[in-house]
Amino acid sequence: MKAALIGLLLASTALAEEPLKLWHAYRGAEELALQQAVDRYTKETGQAVDLLAVPYDAFSSKLTSAIPHDAGPDVFIFAHERLRQFHRMKVVAPSTLIDRAAYLAPAVNALDVDGQLYGYPLSLKCLALYVNTRLVAKAPTTTDELEAQLAAFSKPGFFGLAYEAGDFYFHAPLLFGFGGQLFDAQGKAQFDTPAMAQSLAFVRSLQDRQFMPQEVSGALVKSLFNDGHAAMTISGPWFAGEIDPAITYAIEPLPTVSATGLPISPFLGVEAAFVSSRSKHAEQAQALARFLSLGAATLDRVKVGKQIPAELAAYDDAVVQADPLISSFRAVAEKATPTPNTVEMAKVWEPMKLALRGVLQGTVSAKDAGALASRRYRALNRERPPDADPRPWVGVGVVGALVFGAWRWSKRSRRTFSQEYPDAARGLAYVAPAAIGLLVLVLVPFTVGISLSL
């Protein structure tokens, strides 16, 4: 039924006269999987597609600068967190062919902006607990169990847990586990809360007891886990490709915080195929984006790229069912918290990075770190002052002009201009060369520069 629907859709969509442009930031196996899916699309429809890999760090700015000038892609693959920014800048088009029931509910909900869906969900990314099964017989289900296991394993040069504690993406699950909320009732970021202080104090205590290393980077986590010097780590599905084949491991949900009874709930990231609002081939672009998110294209991304699919039907495939990585992360993803796609979310990362670094380096206490983040947030996001009413100033100017005009009129002379200023022509002749030079060397280049900038 679904295959027939897709076939009918593709058959009814005329081919674009030129190749569709698809931008992405994939590398390695994920890029290979995308290429296979695109080749499959071209083979089935005859529509050519040009792929362009863009460095992730520059991807967002390249999209927002290129699309408004009709120099961007027809379709691009990006995480959903910047969706509202793209929507506000009018660079993304609504999804006209999406079927909500075809995807996991959290994946679809992440693409909702005021009741309208944008993009077609491709894959899911969230954090889970990687456990070296040779070192840990049973994964912890609560933080009390976690601390007991960390105490038993940790010793000089060996750590029970290693993860990128200084990154708020990794700390947010703990905040939620301690009952914290990132935004208040008005949707504004809030940092100075009891739950924030408790979550920061918990991480600091793990570091102080040497249960986890200091100044943790992704490279260090990989090295410690592969060398057997870290029994557990917290990471996403991308980490599985970095694990030494000699290491036996299991992927488990993050434990529950014993003090609150709440789960450590990670952010859920959804990668989606978005259609550019300025695409000259809107129907074909919608068809391509939908194709990439369903059926054989999804299986290409799962089996080759090792992505966690957003499409429900993919989990019925025998190969997918037999993959413990995919089944484990699906279970975690269904209980994860979709990363807010609001503009406010983008303002959180820098203040929290400062607070986390201060706590872990010992320059600020966990109790005061929330206030530090709040000050940083206010410094970076000062609200625009209210617009001043120009009418009083206009009135003052008009009255001043009338008074000046009346005064000049009262002082007017009955003589002509030449009689009043008999040497004016000679003065203008002296000034003319300088005026011409100023015009050519200053005013003309200045005017040309302004015109080019616009």
Side-chain angles (χ1 to χ4, degrees), residues 3-4 30 106 114 153 218 240 266 304 377 423 435:
E30 288 185 319
D114 302 328
F153 182 83
V304 179
Y377 170 83
D423 297 326

Side-chain angles (χ1 to χ4, degrees), residues 167-238:
D167 188 331
F168 182 62
Y169 177 74
F170 289 81
H171 183 79
L174 272 174
L175 172 63
F176 302 144
F178 277 92
Q181 297 292 329
L182 194 52
F183 303 102
D184 60 20
Q186 288 72 42
K188 295 293 184 180
Q190 56 181 1
F191 306 96
D192 196 5
T193 63
M196 181 69 77
Q198 292 168 6
S199 66
L200 292 170
F202 178 78
V203 176
R204 176 70 193 194
S205 71
L206 296 183
Q207 181 178 281
D208 288 346
R209 288 178 283 174
Q210 298 183 352
F211 292 169
M212 55 183 283
Q214 298 181 358
E215 303 291 340
V216 186
S217 65
L220 179 60
V221 170
K222 173 184 175 181
S223 175
L224 290 172
F225 195 79
N226 284 334
D227 293 341
H229 286 212
M232 291 175 277
T233 186
I234 299 172
S235 195
W238 58 87

Side-chain angles (χ1 to χ4, degrees), residues 240-439:
E242 300 178 351
I243 299 177
D244 191 313
I247 300 294
T248 59
Y249 66 93
I251 301 172
E252 303 288 346
L254 296 173
T256 297
V257 175
S258 300
T260 63
L262 298 175
I264 299 177
S265 177
F267 276 138
L268 175 67
V270 179
E271 284 192 327
F274 296 99
V275 176
S276 165
S277 60
R278 302 296 290 268
S279 173
K280 298 177 181 178
H281 314 287
E283 291 186 7
Q284 295 85 349
Q286 293 281 351
L288 171 61
R290 177 186 169 100
F291 180 90
L292 294 175
S293 70
L294 296 172
T298 296
L299 295 181
D300 285 337
R301 292 183 292 99
V302 173
K303 297 176 181 179
V304 179
K306 298 301 180 183
Q307 294 183 347
I308 311 303
E311 183 192 6
L312 284 168
Y315 292 96
D316 296 331
D317 183 86
V319 175
V320 175
Q321 291 178 346
D323 191 325
L325 173 73
I326 295 175
S327 59
S328 297
F329 270 101
R330 178 188 178 177
V332 176
E334 289 182 328
K335 298 179 181 180
T337 302
T339 307
N341 60 22
T342 62
V343 176
E344 189 71 12
M345 185 64 206
K347 303 176 182 179
V348 167
W349 304 106
E350 178 63 24
M352 278 309 305
K353 179 180 179 181
L354 178 66
L356 278 167
R357 184 171 65 242
V359 170
L360 295 175
Q361 293 178 351
T363 59
V364 64
S365 68
K367 182 179 179 181
D368 298 330
L372 174 65
S374 295
R375 289 195 298 272
R376 181 63 173 170
Y377 170 83
R378 290 194 298 269
L380 293 175
N381 304 286
R382 289 191 179 95
E383 293 187 1
R384 177 182 173 183
D387 293 334
D389 188 352
R391 288 175 295 181
W393 299 103
V394 173
V396 170
V398 170
V399 171
L402 292 175
V403 170
F404 179 77
W407 177 76
R408 289 298 299 167
W409 176 260
S410 66
K411 298 293 184 180
R412 71 187 185 282
S413 172
R414 297 181 180 277
R415 296 190 300 174
T416 63
F417 181 83
S418 59
Q419 291 173 336
E420 185 77 20
Y421 304 103
D423 297 326
R426 182 181 301 174
L428 290 175
Y430 285 136
V431 173
I436 294 173
L438 183 66
L439 176 67

Side-chain angles (χ1 to χ4, degrees), residues 68-90:
H69 295 90
D70 296 324
D74 297 288
V75 179
F76 61 93
I77 296 174
F78 205 86
H80 82 280
E81 288 91 335
R82 302 250 178 127
L83 175 55
R84 282 189 184 265
Q85 177 188 0
F86 293 152
H87 175 260
R88 188 180 74 250
M89 300 182 70
K90 299 181 180 179

